[in-house]
Amino acid sequence: MTEHETLTEHVDYETHIASGDFGHSGSLADPTPQSVAEQLNSLLLSADGAARRIVQEAEARARDQLAEADQRIRWMEAEAARLSSWSQQTEQMLHALSSAVGEFRRDVETVPQRISEALNPLASHVPVLVRQMEELMGALTPPASNGNAPAHPVETGWNEGWDQSGNGGH
């Protein structure tokens, strides 16, 4: 029987007593102080039992809710620790990436200077090469003829004495 049913039964019982409509063998006259006291005592005991059950159920619910809240708090603390660890790892990775990008930027900024340093020796030798090429071109140009050229062309004299194999026949 639930506490509500117990209280309702007692209220109904008390109502029947007050109206003189209870179903036990006794006189229909006004209840005696002893019967009223017994009824009140019974009602108080029943109310006390119901109150104790209500308090016990409330305590049990409160314990369950506290246990659930404690479990959620532990989960949230674990999540916070996990997120904090992740944040630290991410921060370290970003710092390392930032350093690498900075080094790369410095290296890229030195590329034009390094190219210039690499090409400087070539640039310093180009005028010498140009001068030597001009001298070579001058040396390869045949000197002007003095008008005493042979009567037969050079090719004819060149071919004489050579056999078909390209070796001299002498």
Side-chain angles (χ1 to χ4, degrees), residues 11-167:
V11 170
D12 287 343
Y13 182 71
E14 289 299 318
T15 305
H16 292 294
I17 289 175
S19 66
D21 187 26
F22 49 52
H24 65 74
S25 61
S27 67
L28 295 176
D30 287 331
T32 64
Q34 183 179 1
S35 69
V36 170
E38 288 175 2
Q39 291 299 319
L40 284 176
N41 188 34
S42 172
L43 183 61
L44 287 174
L45 287 174
S46 177
D48 183 55
R52 287 182 189 197
R53 282 191 303 273
I54 290 171
V55 168
Q56 288 173 349
E57 288 176 9
E59 287 175 345
R61 276 191 234 123
R63 279 191 303 272
D64 290 346
Q65 289 174 350
L66 285 174
E68 185 178 328
D70 189 48
Q71 182 180 6
R72 286 183 182 177
I73 287 170
R74 283 193 306 271
W75 179 81
M76 289 173 65
E77 287 172 344
E79 271 305 289
R82 187 183 67 80
L83 289 175
S84 176
S85 174
W86 174 78
S87 175
Q88 289 173 352
Q89 289 174 348
T90 304
E91 187 175 321
Q92 290 172 352
M93 291 171 62
L94 287 174
H95 181 68
L97 179 62
S98 176
S99 295
V101 167
E103 290 175 17
F104 179 72
R105 183 181 304 131
R106 283 190 297 277
D107 288 347
V108 167
E109 287 173 354
T110 64
V111 167
Q113 177 186 355
R114 291 170 63 192
I115 290 173
S116 178
E117 289 172 0
L119 294 179
N120 276 341
L122 179 63
S124 67
H125 292 300
V126 167
V128 173
L129 290 173
V130 168
R131 183 177 42 82
Q132 289 177 350
M133 288 171 66
E134 287 174 349
E135 289 174 3
L136 181 62
M137 291 295 286
L140 291 177
T141 305
S145 120
N146 57 6
N148 299 334
H152 64 290
V154 173
E155 290 85 21
T156 308
W158 180 259
N159 285 330
E160 292 175 11
W162 288 90
D163 62 10
Q164 291 292 48
S165 69
N167 295 324

